[in-house]
Amino acid sequence: MWNVLDDDAPFPSDLDVPVAPVLPLFGSDDPDETALDWQERALCAQTDPEAFFPEKGGSTREAKKVCTGCEVRAECLEYALANDERFGIWGGLSERERRKLKRRVV
């Protein structure tokens, strides 16, 4: 076993021992991609954020229309459900629609 106190011992990566790869937690096998990199690819990041957080009783139609063509819609919805987002349109669903979805799943 490698010892940090032994200056003459070879470092573990210098040994000819196979090392198991680290598996990604959030579906990406790109080591440079973090868990929230999907947000940079989201179409909402390129549009007016106020559309995604309408006033109470305001229309959600514009935001949902943007979501329909977004490549990271599933990641967005998963994030909102996992983090209990209470406001805004996430993954094409309003807060009320996300609550209904959670009730059906649980």
Side-chain angles (χ1 to χ4, degrees):
M1 184 75 191
W2 183 71
N3 185 343
V4 292
L5 301 176
D6 185 0
D7 292 333
D8 296 329
F11 193 72
S13 63
D14 295 337
L15 300 174
D16 208 13
V17 177
V19 178
V22 176
L23 298 176
L25 295 177
F26 296 98
S28 173
D29 56 355
D30 182 356
D32 295 329
E33 186 172 327
T34 64
L36 297 179
D37 277 351
W38 61 266
Q39 290 180 346
E40 293 175 7
R41 299 189 323 270
L43 290 179
C44 61
Q46 304 163 27
T47 59
D48 180 15
E50 289 190 26
F52 294 88
F53 296 92
E55 295 290 324
K56 187 172 183 167
S59 176
T60 60
R61 184 175 294 142
E62 183 183 336
K64 289 179 176 184
K65 186 175 180 181
V66 172
C67 291
T68 59
C70 186
E71 70 178 74
V72 295
R73 183 176 176 182
E75 290 93 332
C76 180
L77 180 57
E78 182 179 343
Y79 174 85
L81 293 172
N83 292 283
D84 199 27
E85 287 290 343
R86 297 191 185 266
F87 302 99
I89 306 302
W90 291 82
L93 299 181
S94 67
E95 196 270 333
R96 179 182 295 149
E97 293 165 330
R98 291 191 303 275
R99 275 196 320 259
K100 284 182 182 178
L101 180 64
K102 270 187 154 179
R103 280 194 299 259
R104 277 189 249 146
V105 172
V106 175

